Amino acid sequence: MEDVSPMRFDYHALPSRVLFGAGRRRETPEVARQLGCTRPLIVSTPEQKDLAGAIASLFTGSPAQIFPEAAMHTPWDVTARALSLTQASAVDSLIAVGGGSAIGLAKALALRTGLPQIALPTTYAGSEVTPIIGETQDGEKRTRRTLDVLPEAVIYDVELTLTLPARLSATSGLNAMAHAVEALYSVDANPVTSIMAEQGIAALAAALPEILADPASRDARSRAQYGAWLCGTCLGSVGMALHHKVCHVLGGTFDLPHADTHAIMLAHVVAYQAGAAPHAMRRIARALGADDAWTGLHALAARLQVPQSLAEIGMPHEGIGRAAELVLQETYANPRTPDYESITLMLERAWHGAAPQPDSP
């Protein structure tokens, strides 16, 4: 084990059930029944309302309710409306159908009601297998880690991902990859999650270009879903670091699209960490088949035709200083201690869409 010397680590497996395979969404009522539940509230975004309705139709014994108003970054006003419906109804469980927005809302409801959750992911975000919730209120996004928000069951049905546009598949996949990248240099890194992280990065790096070329490929999408599960499981098992802090600040403060922000920032933050986490850099590069971790990630993002700059997705240039200040507040454990000057420089590069560049920590 090249990255663990001396051999001393903690590993905590998370208590959740995973069902993986095409068509397994049809098992949702049985999975709910095994949890002692028959009357779910199904949450989705407005765009996924029809899919939520299809899942609701599987519950033939008793009616399932639908709340199709989930929104990016889990804003409190949406949660409050869903909470009112939950408290006024006789629902006994929560089912999230969709990506991070729907899953985040279900987590927010579970946190406040104690209801069990089932997640049916339609993207590669990975939050369905983490005990982490991020919520936005008054323009600030805050995260916390608690097993109270971990879904009891996750159903990975590749058929639910077939309509995910190729561009969103790419940004969602890079978002998932960021979880594994950070797991490799996390303060909680251990041999188990490091193996999963490297395999997850490799699976996504191979599958995402194939999805871009052929969005209907079930094989490629299944491998991407597998990689996303591995990457999300890594995030659920170890602590977050600078990349997630930066993306939470940018998304929550400037309302930037979540997956796009991760896709743009990933190579830049990896370059920022390069000198302080050489073992992680080697494993990332090996998973990508690249000479360097940051150049490999940058090349992959370009190949996937995702946005290349923060300016492109609506980040105001005058907000860079404010973002750097917020990144330095309540910082996450990180291999390199961040400072205002270096964070500002990194954000400037990302805003302009310049190539990522390591500097001395």
Side-chain angles (χ1 to χ4, degrees), residues 69-347:
E69 300 178 31
M72 187 170 59
H73 303 305
T74 320
W76 170 248
D77 61 315
V78 175
T79 300
R81 290 198 300 274
L83 189 61
S84 294
L85 175 60
T86 302
Q87 293 171 336
S89 306
V91 300
D92 59 11
S93 53
L94 303 162
I95 298 177
V97 179
S101 297
I103 292 166
L105 176 57
K107 286 181 173 184
L109 296 174
L111 181 65
R112 293 166 175 87
T113 65
L115 292 175
Q117 302 174 76
I118 300 171
L120 287 84
T122 62
T123 71
Y124 307 123
S127 61
E128 65 277 357
V129 286
T130 75
I132 300 167
I133 181 172
E135 299 181 279
T136 303
Q137 189 171 10
D138 300 326
E140 184 175 357
K141 187 170 184 177
R142 291 184 174 273
T143 64
R144 69 178 104 175
R145 177 183 289 262
T146 169
L147 287 175
D148 292 338
V149 303
L150 181 71
E152 277 72 12
V154 181
I155 301 174
Y156 288 104
D157 185 339
V158 68
E159 294 172 358
L160 296 181
T161 69
L162 293 175
T163 58
L164 184 66
R167 180 189 177 281
L168 293 180
S169 298
T171 55
S172 178
L174 289 171
N175 178 14
M177 197 177 291
H179 306 332
V181 164
E182 291 230 302
L184 287 169
Y185 55 66
S186 169
V187 67
D188 304 312
N190 62 75
V192 178
T193 55
S194 292
I195 290 169
M196 296 175 72
E198 190 170 342
Q199 186 172 2
I201 293 168
L204 283 163
L208 293 176
E210 294 181 31
I211 292 172
L212 195 66
D214 180 11
S217 172
R218 291 192 177 209
D219 176 65
R221 287 195 178 274
S222 184
R223 286 184 283 115
Q225 203 171 42
Y226 169 70
W229 167 57
L230 290 175
C231 293
T233 300
C234 290
L235 178 65
S237 301
V238 302
M240 295 180 289
L242 180 65
H243 172 83
H244 282 84
K245 177 66 175 183
V246 169
C247 292
H248 292 159
V249 165
L250 295 177
T253 307
F254 304 103
D255 197 32
L256 303 184
H258 182 76
D260 286 3
T261 305
H262 277 273
I264 292 166
M265 290 306 309
L266 181 55
H268 289 281
V269 178
V270 166
Y272 184 90
Q273 311 276 37
H279 294 305
M281 297 302 119
R282 286 196 291 272
R283 296 192 77 147
I284 296 165
R286 184 167 63 198
L288 295 169
D291 292 334
D292 298 302
W294 56 96
T295 57
L297 289 167
H298 187 62
L300 177 61
R303 184 180 178 188
L304 295 175
Q305 303 173 30
V306 301
Q308 296 291 296
S309 71
L310 292 176
E312 187 178 346
I313 62 171
M315 168 75 180
H317 186 264
E318 62 272 18
I320 289 177
R322 174 60 176 158
E325 292 174 353
L326 291 173
V327 167
L328 296 175
Q329 295 178 10
E330 300 178 14
T331 56
Y332 304 161
N334 198 63
R336 175 182 176 182
T337 302
D339 62 84
Y340 182 83
E341 182 179 356
S342 63
I343 293 295
T344 300
L345 179 59
M346 178 185 68
L347 291 174

